[in-house]
């Protein structure tokens, strides 16, 4: 073929190939060397051809790249970043309003306000994650008229002058006073009120609602009272009365889906000695149900209960002659829970990411009864129980008299007396409060004096619930931001990971819920803020743990290379080499031609 | 008279008092029984004809219907939550290792009918929800169970793995789902969660015997969990649940009579005791159990055989077997004295009846453990009761393209008496239900169903009374075949054959060990006319035993066939890559040659050839000769003076270029990945 075309093609191929043919003709010329000179211009046809093949190859690469691309739903990386920077830059402020009412004092409200504010500023240690934005109004009630500061505050106007008098505090019944204050201040406003009254026997009480009162002696100074008020506002109403650093503040035993399962277990160490049952339904109705209802905005709590048998504890206890009982000390506590024998199963009813808190009543066997917990200072624990953060609590209950019941029959049902059971569940509620970081005792010992905390029959008082929901919102928003941040880092670090549309949607909704929570928090709607923050966090978790992220369909570069290399490696070798060779030859021939031209020029 | 009358009065008083007491007791039991949770533990031991021992553990927990099911005193929390969450009406899960030997271990009693299970995992569940919700619940249930029992039950989630039998499966209902995993390995990690459902676990009571090495050394091992929720009348009440956990193990006792001479040892049954077969003893009952009993069952065949032996000895066999004095029993010796002896209520059909010895565990304690031993004194040979037909299943045909499944039913001799009893009727018929699930990749042609009775082909419509077929859909659902056969009573053998094509799976669908073959789950053959029930004359209704009441239940005689292993064509799994490689190589060759052809300069080559002809040797042959000389290690002088350093440098630069290119590619590669 090539030869025929050679014969037929007259000019173009001749012209190009003349480079090869030409040197034959001027054989006669003595100084003509075909190896270094040529008369004609080197042809461009083959060079053009090989390069066009090469370029078409190169042009094909983007199409190939497009064809092996995998589906990635676009994630709002920028919004995620902005959310986390917004949270980090301390923009999550919970506005709080305090109202201090001084009854029977004769002093300037402005100066009082200033001194309280300065005391607050001294005390308030800024939480690194969530801070509060507070306003304060001070009212001095002079029976007939009120002095307010600031005068134009919208909050202080709700209080009717003269509705609280010193006579209200004469009685020692704190609950009645609490109810009286509740009726005065009303439950609607979300402000925290402190009433300072002069006269009567001194006491300081924090009520079940959002107010506290303090009765001071006649001779006491107003400055001392102001300092105490400031401490109350900061340490109790803002921080929930807990010590800094006892349990990490933002730590909440709430599952990622906003659920808690309270699993109550009754562990009979050895049913051959005795086996006890309890009337759980009654306790559930009377003690647990109000608490669960109260905690509704923070967590969705469900309760379950079981009795287990043959569950010895894993630690040892020693006979103490003086106490006439078996004693286990605080250093044995890490080994008390016997995870081999205590089958405190995870719940089937609970969803995958619910938090399960185990509360176990341990009924010791006859060999180790009565069993008491000795504290570090050598005293015997009153509750005879302990908590394990994020796991739950254990209470040891010793049966009456610890005598082996000779009349114990297998069929007979021994039931824990209802009084003991109520005590036990009160301990559990205390432990539950401790797991949330609150104190189990009813006294707050501050630097400037003690405050009695009035316990609520619902387990948690209103101001405690406020603290919890603020903290919950804060914790959820931060965990949401962290999860989304991790997701975005993961997605960005694995460029060949498939991302489904669903993940994109979940991330979008999670961001929307987080922003809603932020805006609700700043407008003091704590409940809905807590709800949307938990929604945000759970959606973020959903997106992060979406099954498709874990799937095998992660299509790696190695696969791509293995599939395409058998074609592209040899072909690109050919194409590149051909292009290189042609280029080199063209240069060579051009140089020859130039040499010939120069020679011809010099000759002529 | 007064003297006479007074004792009578006293007697009447005593009798009425006792009656009252009894009545009160009964009343209280009934009242309590409705409210309280109960737990029973029982163990049945039965010598088998082939020198083995059947041990059958039966645990039953029951929870009454309550308004608040959040607290359970004995009943496992996990199961009650499972029932509530998935609205399970009835469920059975079994883990089995080994195959029940129907021929020698019997196929008629209630133990083989309800506890002989196909190898691997079998799960069926009936749901109490509308039809369209069932599949979703089933999927969730399989996942939960797989977590609960540490097994891969979640593979039953895929719609190709389960089926919905219409009527042939015994608790026939439209809300039933049935699935099996024949290849699931069963081991101690499945037993431990199963034991966790018992209130005493294996810490006390009969379950202390469950020594893992002894159990898993057995010939057959089936661990079963059956629960039935007794629906409550009113709304808002949680249903009551009866959970039945059984463990059936067939063990080979080690012969204890090493001292005896071998000739007699060969025929005599091996003697055993609980401690010799399990290596453990029972030290007292589980205190939470209502009753804790061990039973020893001598089945009909054995009793008949013993009677026959006794007749030779001219003694009343009945008396000997049931007498309390076991030391004088000439056939065997029991190491413990039974508390009660039950004799089966003899049916009309046979004069023989089984004997059941009951031992109460509560009498024993840690210091005096219970260890039942059975020592045979004379050789005995007997047969267990067989199901009317022995079912087996096999594959026919060869090659990787098509084959046929055959289910063969052979009459067992022992069932002749039943046939005889029914043969008064002119048209005596034996009803057989067959339920068969076939995976979708075994494409069954239902029209090719053939029936053979006594080796004679019969018209399908003559034998098959009812048929329900749901054909398989590729990658969606398995094929289900439900048949009701009416066979004449005099049948000695029957066979069903059905042809199939082997399908092709997508490369992703093959399991890791595809060359091993694919399992077709066991077919279920049941005989609805025959009921496996043993009624024992029992007059103490107070002391109720779930095991005995289970025996009294009239359940269908059922048997499972073998699991079939179908070899499918398995592809060479590297084939796609090979195809890619060879296609690409062809393409690359084409491209290379095309480029070469395009770049070719024919005239120049001709000139070179002419040059070569003129010089006699070209450059290339010269190079070749040089190369060959180098390879040979000989220094051969070229015929002409070499072209010189120009060509060698040219070669060198080319070589260097290539080396650089390869090195560059390698460096890029390295850079990209490291």
């Amino acid at each position: 073929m090539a030869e025929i075309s050679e014969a037929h093609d007259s000019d173009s191929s001749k012209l190009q190939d003349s480079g090869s043919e030409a040197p034959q003709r001027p054989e006669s010329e003595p100084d003509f060397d075909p190896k270094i000179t040529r008369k004609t211009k080197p042809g461009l046809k083959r060079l053009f051809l090989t390069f066009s093949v090469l370029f078409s190859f190169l042009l094909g690469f983007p199409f190939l790249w497009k064809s092996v691309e995998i589906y990635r739903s676009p994630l709002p990386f920028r919004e995620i970043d902005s959310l986390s920077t917004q949270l980090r830059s301390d923009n999550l402020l919970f506005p709080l309003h305090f109202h201090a009412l001084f009854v029977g004092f004769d002093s300037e409200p402005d100066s009082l306000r200033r001194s309280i504010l300065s005391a607050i500023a001294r005390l308030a240690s800024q939480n690194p994650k969530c801070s509060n934005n507070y306003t304060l109004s001070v009212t001095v009630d002079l029976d007939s008229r009120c002095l307010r500061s600031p005068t134009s505050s919208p909050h202080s106007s709700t209080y009717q002058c003269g509705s609280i008098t010193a006579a209200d505090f004469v009685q020692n019944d704190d609950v009645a006073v609490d109810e009286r204050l509740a009726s005065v201040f009303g439950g609607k406003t979300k402000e925290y009120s402190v009433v300072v009254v002069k006269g009567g026997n001194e006491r300081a009480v924090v009520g079940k609602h959002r107010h506290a009162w303090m009765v001071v002696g006649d001779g006491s100074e107003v400055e001392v009272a102001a300092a105490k008020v400031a401490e109350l506002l900061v340490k109790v109403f803002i921080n929930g009365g807990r010590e800094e650093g006892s349990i990490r503040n933002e730590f909440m035993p709430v599952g990622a889906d906003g659920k808690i399962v309270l699993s109550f277990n009754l562990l009979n160490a050895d049913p051959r000695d005795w086996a006890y049952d309890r009337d759980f339904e009654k306790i559930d109705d009377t003690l647990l149900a109000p608490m669960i209802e109260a905690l509704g905005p923070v967590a969705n709590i469900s309760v379950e209960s079981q009795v287990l048998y043959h569950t010895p504890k894993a630690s040892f206890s020693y006979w103490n002659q003086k106490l006439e009982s078996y004693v286990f000390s605080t250093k044995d506590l890490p080994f008390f829970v016997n995870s081999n024998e205590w089958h405190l199963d995870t719940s089937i009813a609970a969803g995958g990411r619910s938090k399960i808190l185990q509360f176990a009543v341990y009924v010791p066997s006859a060999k180790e009864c009565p069993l008491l917990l000795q504290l570090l200072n050598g005293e015997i624990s009153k509750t005879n129980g302990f908590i394990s953060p994020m796991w739950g609590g254990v209470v040891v209950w010793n049966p009456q008299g610890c005598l082996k019941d000779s009349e114990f029959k297998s069929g007979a049902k021994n039931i824990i007396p209802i009084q003991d059971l109520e005590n036990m569940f009160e301990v559990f509620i205390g432990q539950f409060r401790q797991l949330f970081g609150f104190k189990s005792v009813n006294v707050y010992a501050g630097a400037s004096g003690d405050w009695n905390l009035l316990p609520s029959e619902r387990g948690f008082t209103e101001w405690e619930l406020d603290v919890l929901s603020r903290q919950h919102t804060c914790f959820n928003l931060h965990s949401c931001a962290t999860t989304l941040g991790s997701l975005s880092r993961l997605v960005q670090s694995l460029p060949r990971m498939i991302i489904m549309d669903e993940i994109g949607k979940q991330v979008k909704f999670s961001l929307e819920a987080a922003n809603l929570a932020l805006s609700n928090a700043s407008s003091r709607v704590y409940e809905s803020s807590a709800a949307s923050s938990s929604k945000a966090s759970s959606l973020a978790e959903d997106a992060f743990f979406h099954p498709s992220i874990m799937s095998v369909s992660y299509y790696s570069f190695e696969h791509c290379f293995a599939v395409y290399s058998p074609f592209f490696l040899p072909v690109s070798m050919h194409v590149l080499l051909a292009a290189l060779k042609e280029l080199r030859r063209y240069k060579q021939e051009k140089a020859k031609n130039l040499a010939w031209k120069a020679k011809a020029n010099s000759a002529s | 008279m007064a003297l006479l009358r007074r004792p009578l009065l006293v007697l009447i008083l005593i009798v009425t008092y006792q009656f009252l007491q009894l009545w009160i007791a009964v009343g209280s039991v009934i009242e309590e029984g409705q409210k309280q949770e109960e737990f029973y533990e029982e163990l049945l031991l039965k010598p088998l004809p082939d020198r083995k021992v059947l041990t059958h553990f039966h645990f039953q927990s029951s929870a009454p219907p309550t308004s608040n099911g959040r607290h359970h005193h004995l009943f496992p929390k996990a199961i009650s939550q499972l029932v509530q969450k998935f609205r399970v009406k009835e469920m059975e899960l079994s883990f089995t290792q080994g195959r029940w030997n129907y021929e020698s271990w019997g196929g008629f009693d209630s133990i083989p009918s309800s506890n002989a299970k196909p190898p691997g995992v079998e799960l069926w569940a009936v749901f109490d929800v509308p039809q369209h919700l069932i599949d979703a619940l089933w999927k969730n249930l399989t996942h939960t169970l797989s977590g609960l029992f540490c097994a891969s039950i979640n593979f039953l989630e895929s719609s190709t793995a389960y089926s919905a039998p219409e009527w042939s499966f015994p608790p026939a209902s439209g809300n039933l789902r049935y699935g099996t995993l024949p290849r699931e390995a069963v081991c101690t990690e499945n037993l431990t969660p199963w034991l966790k459902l018992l209130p005493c676990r294996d810490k006390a009571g009969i379950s202390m015997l469950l020594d893992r090495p002894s159990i898993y050394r057995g010939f057959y091992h089936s661990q079963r969990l059956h629960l039935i929720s007794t629906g409550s009348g009113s709304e808002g009440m949680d249903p009551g649940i009866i959970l039945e956990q059984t463990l059936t193990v067939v063990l080979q006792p080690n012969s204890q009579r090493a001292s005896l001479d071998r000739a007699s040892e060969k025929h005599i049954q091996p003697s055993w005791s609980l401690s010799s077969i399990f290596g453990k003893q029972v030290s007292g009952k589980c205190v939470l159990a209502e009753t804790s009993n061990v039973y020893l069952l001598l089945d009909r065949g054995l009793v008949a055989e013993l009677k026959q032996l006794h007749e030779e000895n001219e003694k009343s066999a009945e008396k000997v077997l049931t007498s309390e004095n076991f030391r004088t029993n000439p056939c065997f010796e029991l190491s413990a004295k039974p508390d009660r002896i039950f004799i089966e209520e003899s049916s009309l059909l046979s004069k023989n009846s089984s004997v059941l010895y009951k031992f109460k565990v509560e009498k024993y304690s840690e210091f005096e453990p219970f260890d039942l031993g059975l020592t045979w004194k004379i050789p005995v040979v007997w047969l267990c009761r067989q199901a009317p037909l022995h079912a087996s299943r096999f594959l026919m045909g060869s090659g990787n393209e098509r084959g046929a499944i055959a289910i063969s039913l052979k009459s067992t001799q022992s069932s002749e008496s039943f046939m005889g009893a029914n043969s008064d009727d002119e048209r005596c018929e034996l009803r057989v239900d067959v339920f068969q699930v076939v995976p979708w990749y075994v494409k069954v042609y239902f029209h090719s169903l053939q029936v053979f009775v006594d080796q004679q082909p019969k018209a399908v419509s003559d034998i098959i009374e009812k048929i329900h077929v749901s054909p398989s859909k590729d990658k969606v659902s398995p094929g289900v075949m439900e048949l009701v056969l009416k066979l004449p009573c005099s049948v000695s053998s029957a066979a069903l054959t059905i042809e199939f094509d082997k399908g092709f799976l997508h490369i992703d669908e093959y399991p890791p060990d595809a060359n091993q073959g694919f399992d077709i789950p066991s077919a279920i053959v049941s005989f609805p006319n025959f009921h496996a029930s043993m009624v024992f004359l029992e007059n103490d209704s107070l002391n109720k035993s779930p095991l005995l009441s289970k025996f009294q239940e009239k359940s269908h005689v059922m048997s499972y066939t073998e699991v079939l292993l179908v070899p499918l064509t398995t592809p060479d799994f590297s084939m796609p890559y090979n195809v890619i490689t060879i296609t690409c190589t062809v393409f690359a060759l084409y491209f290379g040659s095309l480029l070469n052809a395009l770049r070719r300069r024919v005239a120049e080559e001709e000139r070179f050839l002419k040059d070569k002809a003129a010089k006699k040797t070209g450059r290339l042959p010269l190079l070749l000769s040089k190369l060959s000389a180098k390879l040979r290690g000989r220094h051969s002088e070229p015929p002409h003076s070499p072209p010189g350093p120009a060509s060698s440098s040219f070669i060198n630069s080319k070589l260097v270029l290539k080396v650089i290119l390869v090195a560059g590619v390698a460096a890029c590669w390295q850079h990209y990945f490291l």
Side-chain angles (χ1 to χ4, degrees), chain A residues 321-531:
Chain A
Q321 193 61 49
K322 204 169 74 192
L323 294 163
E324 289 200 329
S325 54
Y326 290 88
V327 164
F328 65 105
S329 62
T330 42
K331 67 174 188 295
D332 296 329
L333 293 184
F335 311 103
F336 192 89
V337 174
N338 186 350
S339 40
N340 281 337
E341 305 282 355
W342 296 16
H343 294 290
L344 317 168
D345 280 324
T346 53
S347 169
I348 288 178
R353 295 200 300 277
S354 306
K355 178 73 204 165
I356 298 178
L357 293 178
Q358 310 278 1
F359 289 101
V361 183
Y362 180 76
V363 183
S365 63
K367 286 199 297 272
E368 47 173 21
C369 184
L371 185 67
L372 299 176
L373 169 64
Q374 193 167 32
L375 299 176
L376 274 178
N377 55 11
E379 278 177 32
I380 293 300
S381 162
K382 275 179 208 151
T383 57
N384 216 9
F386 61 93
I387 63 161
S388 166
M390 299 303 277
W391 181 83
V394 176
V395 168
V396 178
W397 179 76
N398 294 305
Q400 202 67 44
C402 275
L403 296 168
K404 186 161 177 175
D405 196 352
S406 54
E407 287 169 30
F408 176 75
K409 278 179 285 172
S410 60
K413 214 171 159 185
N414 293 16
I415 293 181
I416 296 178
I418 193 77
Q419 189 56 45
D420 284 11
L421 195 63
E422 273 173 9
N423 291 340
M424 210 184 290
F425 272 78
E426 275 160 17
V427 173
F428 278 145
I429 288 176
Q431 289 183 340
F432 189 52
R433 284 168 54 85
Q434 278 186 320
L435 290 174
F436 272 106
F438 290 116
K439 294 197 149 191
S440 55
V441 290
N442 290 332
V443 176
Y444 173 72
S448 54
D450 292 356
W451 286 88
N452 276 329
L453 310 179
L454 212 57
S456 165
E457 62 277 3
R458 300 198 302 170
F460 293 87
T461 58
E462 263 178 51
W463 56 269
E464 280 173 332
L465 288 172
D466 283 350
V467 170
L468 274 188
S469 56
R470 278 200 302 269
Q471 186 193 343
H472 188 58
T473 311
C474 173
F475 174 67
N476 274 334
L477 284 176
H478 277 104
S479 87
C480 169
T482 328
T483 314
L484 288 180
S486 314
L487 181 71
S488 84
R489 274 201 302 282
L490 176 79
V491 165
Q492 279 166 332
S493 71
L494 291 174
R496 300 203 61 80
M497 190 172 72
I498 295 171
I499 296 159
M500 309 286 277
D501 262 341
E502 206 180 328
I503 296 176
K505 258 183 222 157
Q506 278 166 342
V507 169
K508 198 179 123 219
F509 291 144
S510 167
L511 280 171
E512 274 171 16
N515 288 325
L516 186 68
L518 276 173
S519 68
N520 275 339
S522 50
S523 56
R524 271 201 285 170
V525 195
Y526 298 144
E527 279 86 359
S528 62
S529 165

Side-chain angles (χ1 to χ4, degrees), chain B residues 205-467:
Chain B
I206 288 171
S207 49
M208 273 178 86
L209 287 173
L210 293 173
D211 175 47
R212 310 298 200 280
S214 338
I215 293 171
Y216 290 101
R217 207 162 43 215
F219 285 77
Y220 174 81
H221 162 92
S222 174
Q223 160 199 334
R224 184 171 147 267
L225 178 135
H226 179 255
L227 64 90
I228 184 160
S229 70
T230 52
S232 54
S234 59
E235 278 293 307
M237 292 272 278
D238 292 323
I241 311 162
I242 295 172
L243 171 71
E244 190 187 298
Q245 287 173 267
T246 64
L247 178 70
T248 314
V249 187
V250 175
L251 293 166
Q252 172 93 63
N254 299 324
S255 187
Q256 287 180 330
R257 292 198 175 182
S259 58
L260 280 184
D261 57 314
R262 290 212 173 155
S264 68
E265 201 190 336
K266 254 182 195 169
H267 303 291
I268 208 156
Q269 289 275 329
S271 302
W272 50 264
S273 66
L274 284 181
S275 56
S276 80
I277 54 175
F278 288 113
K280 283 185 177 178
Q281 293 169 325
V282 184
S283 58
K285 65 179 260 186
C286 167
V287 286
L288 304 156
E290 304 284 314
T291 56
S292 177
N293 298 324
V294 174
Y295 298 94
L296 175 70
L297 178 71
L298 304 181
D299 70 359
R300 254 180 229 188
L302 178 58
V303 172
E305 188 67 30
L306 290 177
K307 270 185 191 169
Q308 219 168 18
L309 285 169
H310 278 295
E311 269 160 24
E312 291 163 17
N313 295 352
E314 292 169 6
K315 275 185 191 172
S316 170
E318 198 81 20
K319 218 178 239 173
V320 169
L321 276 175
T322 57
S323 77
E324 303 282 310
N325 195 352
F326 281 87
R327 311 288 168 196
T328 60
N329 189 326
C331 307
F332 61 88
E333 196 181 302
L334 292 176
S335 69
K337 190 169 157 291
D339 295 290
R340 275 190 68 89
I341 297 165
F342 300 100
I343 299 170
E344 189 192 353
E345 210 170 300
S346 13
S347 55
L348 297 165
L349 309 166
S350 71
K351 283 170 280 176
N352 300 316
S353 50
S354 337
V355 177
L356 188 73
Y357 299 95
K358 174 178 169 182
F359 303 88
K360 284 185 176 172
V361 179
E362 54 196 271
K363 294 193 302 184
Y364 300 89
S365 66
E366 259 176 85
F367 312 105
E368 191 198 351
F370 175 67
D371 184 15
L372 177 66
L374 177 73
T375 312
W376 291 99
K377 291 179 181 169
I378 49 168
V380 199
V381 178
W382 78 97
L383 279 174
C384 280
R385 281 176 84 194
Q386 301 286 323
L389 296 172
H390 175 73
S392 67
R393 194 176 62 163
F394 50 88
L395 279 180
M396 301 197 300
S398 62
N400 277 337
E401 204 180 344
R402 55 178 64 93
I405 302 172
I407 297 175
S408 107
L409 302 163
K410 279 204 188 97
S411 173
T412 50
Q413 286 150 349
S414 67
S415 60
E416 268 169 16
S417 56
F418 294 100
M419 309 291 173
N422 289 355
S423 63
D424 309 340
D425 210 341
E426 191 61 26
R427 287 175 45 78
C428 162
E429 278 178 335
L430 175 64
R431 188 181 155 185
V432 182
D433 286 5
V434 179
F435 170 59
Q436 167 80 68
V437 180
V438 189
W440 66 266
Y441 42 81
V442 173
K443 290 168 177 154
V444 173
Y445 295 114
F446 290 101
H447 72 273
S448 66
L449 183 69
Q450 280 179 299
V451 183
F452 298 87
V453 175
D454 295 332
Q455 276 98 46
Q456 299 300 315
K458 295 269 167 138
V460 169
S461 53
D462 290 353
I463 300 297
I464 294 178
E465 196 189 55
K466 198 172 165 191
I467 184 165

Side-chain angles (χ1 to χ4, degrees), chain A residues 20 46 284 304-305 585, chain B residues 70-71 81 600 604 607:
Chain A
S20 51
R46 284 178 173 75
D284 189 16
E304 54 192 48
S305 158
R585 189 194 149 88
Chain B
R70 290 199 273 188
H71 178 71
Q81 286 180 343
R600 211 161 167 187
E604 199 176 80
R607 188 168 55 82

Side-chain angles (χ1 to χ4, degrees), chain A residues 125 235 239 242-247 249:
Chain A
S125 66
K235 297 286 181 190
N239 284 344
R242 46 187 131 183
E243 279 135 46
E244 309 265 322
S246 57
I247 294 177
N249 261 346

Side-chain angles (χ1 to χ4, degrees), chain A residues 539-560:
Chain A
L539 276 170
E541 295 273 319
D542 277 343
F544 191 78
F545 291 106
H546 196 273
S548 78
I549 284 192
M550 319 278 175
S551 77
V552 213
S553 57
Y554 162 59
Y555 180 57
S556 69
F557 178 74
E558 286 90 334
H559 274 116
C560 196

